[in-house]
Amino acid sequence: MKYRTTSDISLPFRVIPLVREVGRTKQEVKVVIKSNFKPTIFAQKIEIRIPTPPNTAGVQLLCLKGRAKFKASDNAIVWRMKRMSGMKESQISAEVDLLPSASEKTHGGAKPTISMNFEVPFACSGLKVRYLKVFEPKLNYSDHDTVKWVRYISKSGLYETRCA
């Protein structure tokens, strides 16, 4: 069963971006990810895409958890973690070198969005299955012969945070 909801959702992650310009040709980027669910639960397949300006010449990365790399073709830093437990915090720091000729275009303009993909083993909407009955006459299943269990997985969908 699949369903979609847009209200009364407890967000599993909080993304805190900090972008600071150091001179005309350098930016410092720091992104903190905080998990807002129980410590016994693990989020999996976490991927955070941090956009960089189009005139980026190079990026020096420092992340303590997971792996990060700069994808010049997408103008983004891609940070991946296999899993993260609840009530934890991880961060990535990057020093972005900009080309001096076009660095004036980075000031002002549109604010980019940090996107995130993940899976968590619970229903963020709070949906719970209270009753399950199995009735399948063609396969000779009865309600007494089956083992009933429900696997909850929430996928991120469109999860974005705008840089301030």
Side-chain angles (χ1 to χ4, degrees):
M1 176 178 93
K2 291 185 180 184
Y3 71 97
R4 182 181 303 219
T5 184
T6 57
S7 61
D8 297 328
I9 300 171
S10 63
L11 297 176
F13 288 99
R14 185 163 177 229
V15 180
I16 305 165
L18 176 69
V19 179
R20 196 179 87 171
E21 295 196 20
V22 183
R24 293 178 173 255
T25 61
K26 194 170 278 199
Q27 281 185 347
E28 288 180 354
V29 178
K30 180 179 173 184
V31 177
V32 179
I33 306 294
K34 292 183 178 182
S35 56
N36 297 327
F37 45 89
K38 295 178 187 175
T40 56
I41 297 174
F42 288 90
Q44 296 180 340
K45 300 178 186 175
I46 304 164
E47 179 181 282
I48 299 107
R49 298 181 78 77
I50 305 162
T52 58
N55 60 329
T56 300
V59 176
Q60 291 82 35
L61 297 165
L62 175 66
C63 68
L64 300 176
K65 186 168 184 181
R67 293 183 179 188
K69 64 180 176 181
F70 172 63
K71 282 193 158 182
S73 60
D74 297 339
N75 280 334
I77 299 166
V78 180
W79 180 24
R80 289 188 175 107
M81 291 183 274
K82 289 183 180 177
R83 59 192 312 201
M84 181 178 184
S85 65
M87 304 310 285
K88 294 286 182 186
E89 182 177 301
S90 293
Q91 74 177 23
I92 184 171
S93 299
E95 221 174 75
V96 180
D97 296 320
L98 305 172
L99 296 173
S101 61
S103 64
E104 304 299 327
K105 295 178 185 174
T106 62
H107 300 284
K111 295 177 180 168
T113 56
I114 297 173
S115 62
M116 187 172 181
N117 292 315
F118 57 86
E119 290 182 2
V120 288
F122 63 92
C124 295
S125 64
L127 176 88
K128 293 198 189 261
V129 176
R130 300 273 187 223
Y131 180 77
L132 178 65
K133 183 170 181 148
V134 178
F135 181 71
E136 186 60 54
K138 291 181 182 176
L139 298 175
N140 274 338
Y141 286 145
S142 71
D143 198 39
H144 304 292
D145 299 335
T146 58
V147 177
K148 299 173 214 167
W149 60 276
V150 176
R151 181 178 178 196
Y152 296 100
I153 294 181
S154 294
K155 293 187 180 181
S156 58
L158 187 63
Y159 199 89
E160 294 181 338
T161 302
R162 191 164 300 274
C163 294

